[in-house]
Structure formats: C-alpha cells, structure tokens
C-alpha cells in the first residue's frame, strides 16, 4: 500500500487519507484529513475577480451555450467509482472561449471535425469539479435557464464530501457513489440535460386531454 507523511502531524498514512494542498510556490505538501478536520484549512479556489458585466456574460454563456454535467467515473486500479462535475461552453468562435481563460480559468478543447465544409469547427471550454463548483456558486444568483442544474450540482457535491469524510472518520468504506440521495440528484440532473421533448406521461390515454 502506498503511503505518505502528513505535513502537519508528521504521521505516515495511506494516500486515501490526504487532501492535496499547495503550501509554497513551486511545491506541494500534503495534509491528512484528520489535521484538516482539527482546524487546518485546505486552499479552495477563489471566486474570479471580474466585473459585474463579465460575470453576467459568463452566466449567459452557461445558460445559453453551456451545460452543467455530472459523470460517474470508474477507477479500474482502485476498483472504485467517483463523481466528476464539468461546466462546459460550446462555441464556434474560439476568441469567445479564449476570453474566458484569464477571467474564469478552465481549458479549451477542439471539437469534432465537421464533415461538411458548410459547418464551422467547434470548440469547447471546460472547468471541472472544485473550480467548477466555485464558478457555479459565483453565478448561481443570476442564472435564468439553469438555476436548478446549479443547485443539484452544488447539493450533490456538498453531500458527497460530507459522506466521504464521515466514512473515513469512522473507518468505514467510502461507498458514496451508490448512496441513494446522490443517485437521485444525479438522475434528476441527467433528466434536465436530456435532449428533445420531455418523456411521455405515463397517464392512460385521454386522461390529460383538454376539454
């Protein structure tokens, strides 16, 4: 089993007992969860320092051209699974996405190459998990189309981290991926992101017809 030494209590522990924390420029020290729970804080990404106009434009891009997605990913080596949050913005104008990087972070990826010369090349901007959550909390009050999407993502990850920390504190297996509360939130967000018309009602034919 791989281990490392905590930079606070100087105790050797397994890798699963640690949070990654930058302690100084050019390097990283590692603090165990026990020391963190005793009062030491892990550095959290800070909200972007932008104008209200830039904040509103970013929220509009998420509302109109973006998506808020949660994926359940399997770790084959550890034989476990975990949740991943992604904020995405799709656009054919690369300059729009390049404008986001110095203000909101993230990364840009090239989309699928168009099959026809009539279509433009697409690109996607992506931010993941902790930085994505900070951005969601930052723009949540001004979202118009996707406020419920943001609420689900924020609630799911808050509950997930609480479940993981409680399990580790009690020496129990971290089975958060199969937690029914998290699965319900995951399924609700999946349905909100579903393309096309909403699923047909299960009511018998003729019951919901207008008079």
């Amino acid at each position: 089993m791989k281990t490392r030494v905590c930079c606070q209590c100087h105790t050797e522990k397994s890798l699963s007992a640690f949070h990654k924390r930058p302690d100084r420029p050019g390097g990283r020290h590692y603090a165990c969860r026990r020391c963190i729970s005793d009062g030491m804080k892990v550095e959290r990404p800070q909200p972007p320092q932008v104008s209200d106009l830039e904040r509103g434009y970013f929220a509009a891009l998420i509302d109109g051209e973006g998506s808020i997605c949660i994926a359940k990913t399997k770790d084959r080596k550890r034989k476990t699974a975990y949740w991943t949050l992604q904020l995405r913005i799709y656009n054919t104008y690369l300059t729009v996405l390049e404008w986001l990087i110095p203000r909101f972070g993230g990364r840009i990826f090239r989309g699928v190459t168009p099959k026809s010369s009539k279509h433009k090349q697409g690109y996607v901007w992506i931010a993941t998990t902790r930085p994505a959550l900070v951005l969601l909390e930052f723009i949540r009050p001004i979202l118009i189309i996707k406020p419920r999407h943001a609420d689900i993502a924020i609630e799911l990850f808050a509950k997930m981290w609480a479940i993981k920390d409680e399990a580790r504190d009690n020496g129990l297996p971290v089975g958060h991926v199969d937690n029914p509360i998290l699965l319900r939130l995951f399924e609700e967000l999946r349905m909100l992101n579903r393309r096309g018309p909403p699923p047909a009602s299960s009511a018998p034919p003729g019951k919901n017809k207008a008079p």
Side-chain angles (χ1 to χ4, degrees):
M1 179 178 65
K2 293 184 178 180
T3 62
R4 65 166 55 102
V5 177
C6 174
C7 65
Q8 298 295 307
C9 64
H10 306 292
T11 304
E12 187 175 8
K13 300 182 179 182
S14 66
L15 296 184
S16 63
F18 286 83
H19 271 307
K20 188 179 287 186
R21 176 179 184 266
D23 268 359
R24 61 185 182 184
R28 286 184 183 272
H29 285 181
Y30 294 84
C32 70
R33 294 175 184 272
R34 176 62 63 184
C35 289
I36 292 166
S37 66
D38 288 343
M40 178 185 150
K41 293 183 179 179
V42 175
E43 287 192 9
R44 187 172 186 263
Q46 296 299 310
Q49 301 298 312
V50 297
S51 68
D52 289 342
L53 181 62
E54 291 170 326
R55 180 191 183 198
Y57 185 63
F58 177 66
L61 286 172
I62 292 292
D63 257 342
E65 305 290 336
S67 65
I68 302 170
C69 303
I70 295 175
K72 187 167 67 171
T73 307
K74 291 184 177 180
D75 187 332
R76 295 181 179 178
K77 291 184 179 179
R78 297 185 181 180
K79 297 182 180 179
T80 58
Y82 56 91
W83 301 103
T84 303
L85 169 66
Q86 284 194 349
L87 281 185
R88 297 186 176 197
I89 296 175
Y90 306 89
N91 211 292
T92 56
Y93 292 94
L94 184 58
T95 52
V96 172
L97 303 184
E98 290 174 338
W99 176 87
L100 294 171
I101 299 297
R103 294 167 177 82
F104 303 98
R107 299 175 65 186
I108 298 173
F109 297 89
R110 185 185 181 94
V112 178
T113 303
K115 295 181 179 179
S116 171
S117 59
K118 296 181 180 179
H119 300 122
K120 294 182 179 179
Q121 174 65 53
Y123 302 89
V124 58
W125 170 91
I126 298 177
T128 57
T129 309
R130 288 186 184 273
L133 279 172
V134 171
L135 292 174
L136 274 185
E137 292 169 352
F138 183 61
I139 64 173
R140 168 60 185 84
I142 56 176
L143 288 175
I144 297 175
I145 300 173
K146 299 185 173 77
R148 181 56 187 158
H149 298 64
D151 288 342
I152 292 172
I154 293 168
E155 182 181 358
L156 188 148
F157 277 86
K159 290 184 181 298
M160 181 196 76
W161 285 323
I163 291 169
K164 288 173 66 177
D165 289 341
E166 182 180 359
R168 286 196 175 99
D169 288 343
N170 295 317
L172 300 173
V174 184
H176 61 278
V177 170
D178 296 322
N179 182 280
I181 298 175
L182 303 186
L183 289 172
R184 176 182 59 78
L185 291 169
F186 170 73
E187 185 62 25
E188 183 180 351
L189 183 59
R190 191 180 71 84
M191 294 303 294
L192 287 174
N193 286 329
R194 182 172 178 171
R195 294 184 178 182
S201 172
S202 57
K207 289 289 183 180
N208 295 326
K209 289 183 179 179

